[in-house]
Amino acid sequence: LLASEVMGFLRFYAKKHLVIVISHNYQLITKYSKMIIDLDSHQNNYNFNQETRYHKYLYQQVSSPLIKIKFYLKRQLLYQKKKIVMMFCSQLFTIIAFVLLLSGINGGWNYIKTCLKSNPIKEIIEISKKDYNEMNFTNKQINVLKNDSLVTSLNYKLDFSFGIFKTNQELQLESYQVHDSDYIEYLNGKFPSQNNQIMINQETAHKYNLDINDKLYFIIDENTYHLSVSAIIKDYINNGDNLYFSDKFIDLDLKDKITDKSILVIKSKYFKQLLKKYEHDYFIINFHQDYLDSYQTLFKMALMVVICFLIISFIISLILISIILKTILIERKRDISLMLSNGLPLNKARKLFSQETSLIGSIIGFLGSVLAELLLRIINMLNISDKLFNLPNLFILPKLMISSYDIYIIMIFVYTSACFGVGVLSSLQISKMNTSILLKED
């Protein structure tokens, strides 16, 4: 009776553990187990190689490496699920955060480039002399610039800051000299075609309640000139209340009063070439290029922050992955010892652990990529960036080589390689294990 109780207890315990019973009571043994080694007759009554239930990490001889990896990975996920889930969650958060930052920066830069394309002063360049003793240009200097093949047109600057703009109130407007071009995006109206016609941007129209054909008064030297609004344009870059005019459609008398002969206004697509050619003698300014350089600097800084975030996050991720995988390896020492004692070669044990870790890395990279892409699609579908930042389609991944999905392929490769490397380093500890001592302890 006592023997039966003990065997019943051992059978219950054997559901999760390897139990070895040595007994002379053959009848009792055959009642509770079919896995018997008969030392008297020197034979096994059971083929242990076909049994997979008695231990969670039993080495199984299978022909397909993929099946072998799946077999052990399933047990890895099952018996180490808390650690694996913690590692998965931390890495998925890192991948999603990186993708959102990178796509946000790229979308923001694409938006800025789109806005810069419609900048009305994109080809307007101002040139002034460095010689403060003689600020005005000579006819010879003007002719040299006018005949330059890089220059489309050349005029003196008309400076409206010499006077005051008024309607029923005084207006604080910044004036820009422009030419008719494809870079002007009209909200209403058209480019000036008559004398003293000007254009305003959307902010000016909204602030001062102005519309097409409304009149502005410009007062200078106690003379009043009537300016008519011919168009309202969309100006994304030049923030503020702005007025745009063409020197071709300014009254000659008014033009004479506001002409600044110390500054030339040039229309040209070749700012950088002109700067390189004449920077020794002149100050050359293109406000469009200044804006572009400022935004580029800003986005380069943002990109550097993202890269630093990625590097730091990846280093922390590697440390975390390394700690978790080494912890798993330590906890599996007895399991690995059992596999080795069942005939698994040492090099295959190392290879198996490295394959497991690399497969875990692949899953992390794949799941992170899928979740990140799904989140981006939800954000774009619900127009969240437009609602939060008033910028449509802000989150757009950059095209690195072939498509915008390149970044996901890179992340899967990086995580697979990193986990494989950590697995290889961790698996080197297997050779230091004392199998016999570990099995005796178990």
Side-chain angles (χ1 to χ4, degrees):
L1 182 62
L2 183 59
S4 297
E5 290 181 0
V6 171
M7 293 300 294
F9 169 76
L10 291 178
R11 184 169 61 178
F12 174 79
Y13 189 73
K15 290 181 179 181
K16 294 185 179 180
H17 299 80
L18 172 64
V19 175
I20 299 174
V21 177
I22 300 174
S23 175
H24 297 282
N25 191 335
Y26 192 80
Q27 184 179 2
L28 183 68
I29 293 295
T30 53
K31 181 180 178 181
Y32 288 94
S33 177
K34 295 180 180 179
M35 297 177 285
I36 301 171
I37 300 175
D38 191 341
L39 298 180
D40 290 332
S41 57
H42 303 287
Q43 66 180 8
N44 297 340
N45 293 355
Y46 190 82
N47 186 358
F48 288 91
N49 289 328
Q50 302 301 319
E51 177 58 42
T52 60
R53 296 175 301 165
Y54 83 94
H55 199 275
K56 59 188 177 184
Y57 289 121
L58 174 66
Y59 178 68
Q60 213 179 29
Q61 294 285 356
V62 292
S63 57
S64 172
L66 182 61
I67 296 175
K68 186 188 300 182
I69 295 172
K70 287 172 62 179
F71 177 81
Y72 288 102
L73 180 64
K74 185 172 66 175
R75 282 154 177 75
Q76 180 84 302
L77 296 175
L78 180 63
Y79 293 99
Q80 304 289 345
K81 57 185 176 182
K82 291 183 179 179
K83 297 181 183 66
I84 299 296
V85 167
M86 181 179 70
M87 183 167 64
F88 268 49
C89 290
S90 63
Q91 301 314 306
L92 294 180
F93 173 79
T94 301
I95 292 172
I96 291 172
F98 169 69
V99 169
L100 287 179
L101 282 173
L102 185 62
S103 60
I105 289 175
N106 182 62
W109 178 237
N110 288 339
Y111 174 78
I112 292 298
K113 287 194 294 185
T114 302
C115 294
L116 286 168
K117 286 180 181 179
S118 61
N119 189 356
I121 61 172
K122 185 174 183 177
E123 295 182 357
I124 304 301
I125 301 170
E126 292 187 2
I127 297 181
S128 56
K129 297 174 67 175
K130 291 185 176 181
D131 184 3
Y132 293 102
N133 294 322
E134 183 57 51
M135 297 297 294
N136 292 342
F137 287 84
T138 64
N139 290 333
K140 181 180 178 181
Q141 291 170 329
I142 292 174
N143 288 331
V144 169
L145 290 169
K146 186 178 290 186
N147 295 326
D148 194 312
S149 60
L150 299 174
V151 176
T152 304
S153 65
L154 180 148
N155 302 96
Y156 284 118
K157 180 179 181 179
L158 303 184
D159 193 350
F160 277 93
S161 64
F162 294 150
I164 299 172
F165 291 104
K166 282 191 174 182
T167 51
N168 57 343
Q169 59 180 318
E170 186 173 321
L171 309 181
Q172 301 293 327
L173 300 178
E174 189 72 32
S175 60
Y176 293 95
Q177 199 161 324
V178 297
H179 297 272
D180 193 6
S181 69
D182 296 333
Y183 303 120
I184 299 176
E185 183 179 335
Y186 296 95
L187 293 176
N188 198 0
K190 60 182 180 179
F191 195 81
S193 58
Q194 300 177 14
N195 266 357
N196 290 351
Q197 283 189 330
I198 52 93
M199 301 183 296
I200 58 175
N201 66 347
Q202 73 280 11
E203 292 185 30
T204 305
H206 177 74
K207 182 175 181 179
Y208 297 111
N209 195 27
L210 295 172
D211 207 343
I212 303 299
N213 298 323
D214 284 351
K215 302 292 183 182
L216 278 71
Y217 304 105
F218 182 70
I219 303 172
I220 183 171
D221 296 337
E222 299 182 352
N223 294 318
T224 301
Y225 297 88
H226 300 276
L227 305 177
S228 175
V229 178
S230 69
I232 298 173
I233 68 174
K234 183 70 174 177
D235 192 349
Y236 300 93
I237 301 300
N238 308 302
N239 294 323
D241 307 322
N242 301 329
L243 175 146
Y244 307 87
F245 65 93
S246 171
D247 69 304
K248 294 180 180 180
F249 302 104
I250 297 296
D251 182 88
L252 291 176
D253 183 49
L254 174 57
K255 186 185 292 187
D256 184 60
K257 292 180 181 297
I258 62 175
T259 297
D260 184 353
K261 293 189 176 182
S262 65
I263 300 177
L264 296 177
V265 175
I266 286 177
K267 180 183 179 183
S268 175
K269 298 179 180 180
Y270 309 103
F271 168 71
K272 291 184 178 180
Q273 291 90 326
L274 285 170
L275 180 63
K276 185 177 181 180
K277 190 173 183 179
Y278 294 110
E279 65 180 346
H280 180 71
D281 300 315
Y282 305 118
F283 293 111
I284 303 176
I285 299 173
N286 175 238
F287 292 110
H288 171 82
Q289 189 64 42
D290 288 346
Y291 287 128
L292 180 62
D293 292 341
S294 298
Y295 284 119
Q296 279 183 329
T297 301
L298 180 64
F299 277 92
K300 283 180 181 177
M301 291 174 60
L303 186 60
M304 287 300 298
V305 170
V306 172
I307 292 173
C308 290
F309 167 79
L310 175 63
I311 293 173
I312 294 172
S313 299
F314 189 65
I315 291 173
I316 294 174
S317 299
L318 283 181
I319 295 173
L320 178 62
I321 291 171
S322 178
I323 292 173
I324 292 176
L325 293 181
K326 285 184 178 180
T327 302
I328 291 173
L329 181 65
I330 291 172
E331 291 180 355
R332 288 178 57 188
K333 277 185 175 180
R334 293 183 179 86
D335 306 319
I336 294 171
S337 296
L338 183 61
M339 291 161 63
L340 293 173
S341 66
N342 274 273
L344 178 68
L346 179 61
N347 63 329
K348 286 189 176 181
R350 290 175 179 172
K351 183 179 178 181
L352 183 61
F353 189 73
S354 302
Q355 288 173 335
E356 288 179 18
T357 55
S358 61
L359 191 55
I360 289 173
S362 301
I363 294 174
I364 291 173
F366 177 76
L367 286 180
S369 300
V370 170
L371 290 176
E373 179 63 21
L374 182 63
L375 183 60
L376 286 181
R377 290 179 181 271
I378 292 173
I379 289 173
N380 291 327
M381 183 176 64
L382 300 178
N383 295 322
I384 293 176
S385 63
D386 195 9
K387 295 174 182 177
L388 292 179
F389 310 109
N390 199 27
L391 295 176
N393 300 321
L394 176 60
F395 297 95
I396 302 173
L397 280 173
K399 179 180 177 182
L400 299 182
M401 292 174 289
I402 300 174
S403 69
S404 58
Y405 299 110
D406 294 338
I407 188 66
Y408 297 136
I409 296 173
I410 292 173
M411 281 194 294
I412 292 172
F413 174 76
V414 167
Y415 269 96
T416 302
S417 302
C419 288
F420 176 76
V422 172
V424 169
L425 293 175
S426 300
S427 66
L428 295 177
Q429 298 181 13
I430 294 177
S431 59
K432 301 177 182 179
M433 297 184 336
N434 192 319
T435 303
S436 58
I437 293 177
L438 289 169
L439 287 179
K440 287 178 180 178
E441 291 176 354
D442 200 28

mmCIF file of all heavy atoms in Angstrom, residues 359-378:
data_model
loop_
_atom_site.group_PDB
_atom_site.id
_atom_site.type_symbol
_atom_site.label_atom_id
_atom_site.label_comp_id
_atom_site.label_asym_id
_atom_site.label_seq_id
_atom_site.Cartn_x
_atom_site.Cartn_y
_atom_site.Cartn_z
ATOM 1 N N LEU A 359 16.086 33.351 -34.645
ATOM 2 C CA LEU A 359 14.684 33.276 -35.034
ATOM 3 C C LEU A 359 13.831 34.210 -34.170
ATOM 4 O O LEU A 359 12.903 34.859 -34.664
ATOM 5 C CB LEU A 359 14.189 31.837 -34.915
ATOM 6 C CG LEU A 359 12.815 31.544 -35.526
ATOM 7 C CD1 LEU A 359 12.776 31.961 -36.992
ATOM 8 C CD2 LEU A 359 12.463 30.072 -35.382
ATOM 9 N N ILE A 360 14.169 34.288 -32.885
ATOM 10 C CA ILE A 360 13.476 35.238 -32.003
ATOM 11 C C ILE A 360 13.702 36.671 -32.495
ATOM 12 O O ILE A 360 12.776 37.491 -32.542
ATOM 13 C CB ILE A 360 13.968 35.083 -30.548
ATOM 14 C CG1 ILE A 360 13.459 33.759 -29.961
ATOM 15 C CG2 ILE A 360 13.497 36.243 -29.677
ATOM 16 C CD1 ILE A 360 14.029 33.431 -28.607
ATOM 17 N N GLY A 361 14.951 36.985 -32.892
ATOM 18 C CA GLY A 361 15.252 38.316 -33.430
ATOM 19 C C GLY A 361 14.463 38.607 -34.696
ATOM 20 O O GLY A 361 13.968 39.727 -34.889
ATOM 21 N N SER A 362 14.330 37.598 -35.565
ATOM 22 C CA SER A 362 13.559 37.773 -36.803
ATOM 23 C C SER A 362 12.100 38.068 -36.494
ATOM 24 O O SER A 362 11.483 38.930 -37.126
ATOM 25 C CB SER A 362 13.654 36.520 -37.666
ATOM 26 O OG SER A 362 14.994 36.236 -38.005
ATOM 27 N N ILE A 363 11.561 37.354 -35.516
ATOM 28 C CA ILE A 363 10.158 37.559 -35.136
ATOM 29 C C ILE A 363 9.964 38.962 -34.564
ATOM 30 O O ILE A 363 8.980 39.646 -34.870
ATOM 31 C CB ILE A 363 9.702 36.488 -34.133
ATOM 32 C CG1 ILE A 363 9.701 35.111 -34.806
ATOM 33 C CG2 ILE A 363 8.329 36.809 -33.583
ATOM 34 C CD1 ILE A 363 9.410 33.967 -33.864
ATOM 35 N N ILE A 364 10.915 39.404 -33.724
ATOM 36 C CA ILE A 364 10.834 40.756 -33.159
ATOM 37 C C ILE A 364 10.834 41.798 -34.274
ATOM 38 O O ILE A 364 9.993 42.701 -34.304
ATOM 39 C CB ILE A 364 12.004 41.019 -32.191
ATOM 40 C CG1 ILE A 364 11.866 40.172 -30.924
ATOM 41 C CG2 ILE A 364 12.072 42.503 -31.807
ATOM 42 C CD1 ILE A 364 13.053 40.250 -29.999
ATOM 43 N N GLY A 365 11.804 41.680 -35.203
ATOM 44 C CA GLY A 365 11.893 42.632 -36.299
ATOM 45 C C GLY A 365 10.654 42.608 -37.181
ATOM 46 O O GLY A 365 10.144 43.661 -37.588
ATOM 47 N N PHE A 366 10.139 41.400 -37.471
ATOM 48 C CA PHE A 366 8.963 41.272 -38.344
ATOM 49 C C PHE A 366 7.721 41.843 -37.676
ATOM 50 O O PHE A 366 6.982 42.636 -38.281
ATOM 51 C CB PHE A 366 8.751 39.801 -38.703
ATOM 52 C CG PHE A 366 7.534 39.557 -39.545
ATOM 53 C CD1 PHE A 366 7.544 39.863 -40.901
ATOM 54 C CD2 PHE A 366 6.386 39.035 -38.976
ATOM 55 C CE1 PHE A 366 6.419 39.653 -41.686
ATOM 56 C CE2 PHE A 366 5.253 38.818 -39.748
ATOM 57 C CZ PHE A 366 5.272 39.129 -41.105
ATOM 58 N N LEU A 367 7.473 41.434 -36.415
ATOM 59 C CA LEU A 367 6.287 41.935 -35.718
ATOM 60 C C LEU A 367 6.352 43.443 -35.524
ATOM 61 O O LEU A 367 5.352 44.151 -35.687
ATOM 62 C CB LEU A 367 6.140 41.231 -34.362
ATOM 63 C CG LEU A 367 5.658 39.781 -34.377
ATOM 64 C CD1 LEU A 367 5.569 39.245 -32.960
ATOM 65 C CD2 LEU A 367 4.305 39.676 -35.063
ATOM 66 N N GLY A 368 7.557 43.954 -35.165
ATOM 67 C CA GLY A 368 7.718 45.399 -35.001
ATOM 68 C C GLY A 368 7.427 46.139 -36.289
ATOM 69 O O GLY A 368 6.760 47.187 -36.287
ATOM 70 N N SER A 369 7.900 45.607 -37.406
ATOM 71 C CA SER A 369 7.674 46.243 -38.713
ATOM 72 C C SER A 369 6.196 46.231 -39.072
ATOM 73 O O SER A 369 5.654 47.238 -39.551
ATOM 74 C CB SER A 369 8.488 45.526 -39.791
ATOM 75 O OG SER A 369 9.873 45.586 -39.509
ATOM 76 N N VAL A 370 5.531 45.094 -38.844
ATOM 77 C CA VAL A 370 4.102 44.981 -39.166
ATOM 78 C C VAL A 370 3.285 45.956 -38.320
ATOM 79 O O VAL A 370 2.411 46.673 -38.835
ATOM 80 C CB VAL A 370 3.614 43.534 -38.950
ATOM 81 C CG1 VAL A 370 2.085 43.465 -39.043
ATOM 82 C CG2 VAL A 370 4.240 42.604 -39.972
ATOM 83 N N LEU A 371 3.566 45.993 -37.013
ATOM 84 C CA LEU A 371 2.814 46.887 -36.129
ATOM 85 C C LEU A 371 3.079 48.348 -36.466
ATOM 86 O O LEU A 371 2.158 49.174 -36.448
ATOM 87 C CB LEU A 371 3.189 46.603 -34.668
ATOM 88 C CG LEU A 371 2.702 45.264 -34.095
ATOM 89 C CD1 LEU A 371 3.224 45.075 -32.676
ATOM 90 C CD2 LEU A 371 1.174 45.208 -34.103
ATOM 91 N N ALA A 372 4.332 48.694 -36.773
ATOM 92 C CA ALA A 372 4.675 50.067 -37.120
ATOM 93 C C ALA A 372 3.968 50.499 -38.405
ATOM 94 O O ALA A 372 3.411 51.600 -38.484
ATOM 95 C CB ALA A 372 6.186 50.213 -37.272
ATOM 96 N N GLU A 373 3.973 49.615 -39.428
ATOM 97 C CA GLU A 373 3.304 49.936 -40.694
ATOM 98 C C GLU A 373 1.794 50.050 -40.492
ATOM 99 O O GLU A 373 1.149 50.937 -41.065
ATOM 100 C CB GLU A 373 3.620 48.857 -41.733
ATOM 101 C CG GLU A 373 2.963 49.064 -43.081
ATOM 102 C CD GLU A 373 3.398 50.326 -43.786
ATOM 103 O OE1 GLU A 373 4.481 50.858 -43.451
ATOM 104 O OE2 GLU A 373 2.656 50.781 -44.676
ATOM 105 N N LEU A 374 1.236 49.161 -39.669
ATOM 106 C CA LEU A 374 -0.193 49.218 -39.376
ATOM 107 C C LEU A 374 -0.554 50.530 -38.680
ATOM 108 O O LEU A 374 -1.568 51.173 -39.015
ATOM 109 C CB LEU A 374 -0.588 48.019 -38.504
ATOM 110 C CG LEU A 374 -2.073 47.903 -38.135
ATOM 111 C CD1 LEU A 374 -2.912 47.717 -39.397
ATOM 112 C CD2 LEU A 374 -2.294 46.741 -37.177
ATOM 113 N N LEU A 375 0.282 50.948 -37.744
ATOM 114 C CA LEU A 375 0.047 52.202 -37.028
ATOM 115 C C LEU A 375 0.124 53.395 -37.978
ATOM 116 O O LEU A 375 -0.697 54.327 -37.902
ATOM 117 C CB LEU A 375 1.052 52.357 -35.891
ATOM 118 C CG LEU A 375 0.892 53.597 -34.994
ATOM 119 C CD1 LEU A 375 -0.487 53.584 -34.328
ATOM 120 C CD2 LEU A 375 1.987 53.640 -33.940
ATOM 121 N N LEU A 376 1.100 53.386 -38.898
ATOM 122 C CA LEU A 376 1.228 54.469 -39.876
ATOM 123 C C LEU A 376 -0.019 54.549 -40.769
ATOM 124 O O LEU A 376 -0.507 55.647 -41.069
ATOM 125 C CB LEU A 376 2.467 54.254 -40.747
ATOM 126 C CG LEU A 376 3.829 54.529 -40.108
ATOM 127 C CD1 LEU A 376 4.937 54.288 -41.126
ATOM 128 C CD2 LEU A 376 3.914 55.944 -39.576
ATOM 129 N N ARG A 377 -0.526 53.393 -41.185
ATOM 130 C CA ARG A 377 -1.715 53.370 -42.044
ATOM 131 C C ARG A 377 -2.938 53.902 -41.302
ATOM 132 O O ARG A 377 -3.768 54.623 -41.872
ATOM 133 C CB ARG A 377 -1.976 51.946 -42.544
ATOM 134 C CG ARG A 377 -0.938 51.469 -43.561
ATOM 135 C CD ARG A 377 -1.230 50.045 -44.020
ATOM 136 N NE ARG A 377 -0.226 49.593 -44.965
ATOM 137 C CZ ARG A 377 -0.301 49.763 -46.280
ATOM 138 N NH1 ARG A 377 -1.351 50.391 -46.795
ATOM 139 N NH2 ARG A 377 0.637 49.314 -47.087
ATOM 140 N N ILE A 378 -3.048 53.556 -40.013
ATOM 141 C CA ILE A 378 -4.171 54.055 -39.205
ATOM 142 C C ILE A 378 -4.074 55.574 -39.045
ATOM 143 O O ILE A 378 -5.074 56.296 -39.169
ATOM 144 C CB ILE A 378 -4.191 53.361 -37.826
ATOM 145 C CG1 ILE A 378 -4.549 51.877 -37.991
ATOM 146 C CG2 ILE A 378 -5.192 54.037 -36.895
ATOM 147 C CD1 ILE A 378 -4.421 51.075 -36.719
#
